[in-house]
Amino acid sequence: MYSHSAGAADLSRVPAAVFEPTFVTTEGDLRAGKVFAATLPACKDALLVSALHLFGPSGGMKKQSSGSQIAALVTNISLDDIAGKVSIEKFRARSLTPDKASCCTDKADTGAGDIAAFAAPEELRGLALRVATRPVKKGDKVFVISSIASPAVTRLSHAAIAEGMESGYWLYTYLEPGFVVRATSGAPVVNEAGEVVAINLGGATSKTGKMMGYGNPAVNWSAALASMCQRSAGD
């Protein structure tokens, strides 16, 4: 049974919006990372948001796909929520990935950064997370919402402290000893109000032995994603 980490923030409803996806692609099924349901004021429908680098060698594919290639690559999606309660059967994929999206190894200073996005099924609208309008500041407490690849850890919310920006991405230090970053790419990073402030992309152990994470902040991609919604609505 999964649980939530203790703390002042009540994030008990957030994990219901986070899923382990299966992407049906023209190159075969891809099971990697996480996706989450989100809403933006400019978007009529809910969105599914994840990380673009999953559609490349990091996710088990032969080569990295660009943002503009996702629409032709991904044909269908199915979802299993991280709490193990809800499964959504295969539905047709409609990519809303910004053309300016880039892989996590690229700087995000001038583009949308590492993001992939799709139209979400109607039933997810009530679960979708709001995207924060206030950016993260250094010292803010944030939470990565994800199941992790460790049977000993059942928490779904993992606290961290925002440390600062590097090449357009936020760095944060996990407060949880022994945190395992594998399979958390694409998970939402939320503030204490449960609003999305970034897309989790991965992490590494620092020279001091602390586990560091890094994420693509909403300020990089929210406007580009809103533009994709408006373009899609006009088609």
Side-chain angles (χ1 to χ4, degrees):
M1 185 73 177
Y2 284 105
S3 61
H4 310 286
S5 58
D10 180 10
L11 304 176
S12 59
R13 297 181 62 184
V14 176
V18 187
F19 300 87
E20 296 179 348
T22 298
F23 298 103
V24 180
T25 80
T26 55
E27 299 178 15
D29 289 358
L30 173 64
R31 298 180 179 89
K34 302 293 186 289
V35 300
F36 61 91
T39 58
L40 282 170
C43 298
K44 177 183 177 182
D45 300 318
L47 311 166
L48 285 175
V49 180
S50 190
L52 181 63
H53 73 260
L54 294 174
F55 300 93
S58 295
M61 305 193 78
K62 292 181 180 179
K63 62 180 181 179
Q64 180 63 51
S65 294
S66 67
S68 60
Q69 292 173 323
I70 296 300
L73 176 71
V74 183
T75 60
N76 292 277
I77 305 171
S78 59
L79 304 169
D80 294 289
D81 80 279
I82 61 172
K85 296 179 179 179
V86 176
S87 294
I88 296 179
E89 295 183 359
K90 186 167 62 177
F91 57 92
R92 185 178 180 83
R94 180 161 61 90
S95 177
L96 296 172
T97 304
D99 293 339
K100 292 184 178 181
S102 59
C103 187
C104 62
T105 56
D106 301 324
K107 290 186 177 181
D109 300 50
T110 58
D114 193 336
I115 178 175
F118 304 86
E122 178 62 30
E123 60 261 42
L124 294 185
R125 185 168 183 80
L127 300 175
L129 308 174
R130 288 185 299 176
V131 176
T133 55
R134 183 182 71 84
V136 172
K137 301 189 302 294
K138 184 176 180 179
D140 283 355
K141 194 172 188 179
V142 296
F143 303 83
V144 174
I145 308 299
S146 182
S147 53
I148 66 173
S150 172
V153 179
T154 59
R155 290 181 297 276
L156 296 176
S157 57
H158 310 280
I161 299 296
E163 300 289 357
M165 295 278 283
E166 183 176 296
S167 298
Y169 293 101
W170 263 105
L171 301 179
Y172 31 91
T173 301
Y174 286 102
L175 302 180
E176 184 177 312
F179 183 78
V180 180
V181 299
R182 184 166 61 88
T184 63
S185 291
V189 184
V190 303
N191 58 23
E192 292 189 289
E195 299 169 326
V196 178
V197 295
I199 303 165
N200 186 60
L201 300 178
T205 303
S206 70
K207 293 180 180 179
T208 60
K210 294 182 178 180
M211 178 56 69
M212 301 288 296
Y214 62 100
N216 186 11
V219 67
N220 283 348
W221 47 264
S222 56
L225 193 50
S227 178
M228 291 298 296
C229 287
Q230 293 166 346
R231 185 193 306 179
S232 177
D235 291 343

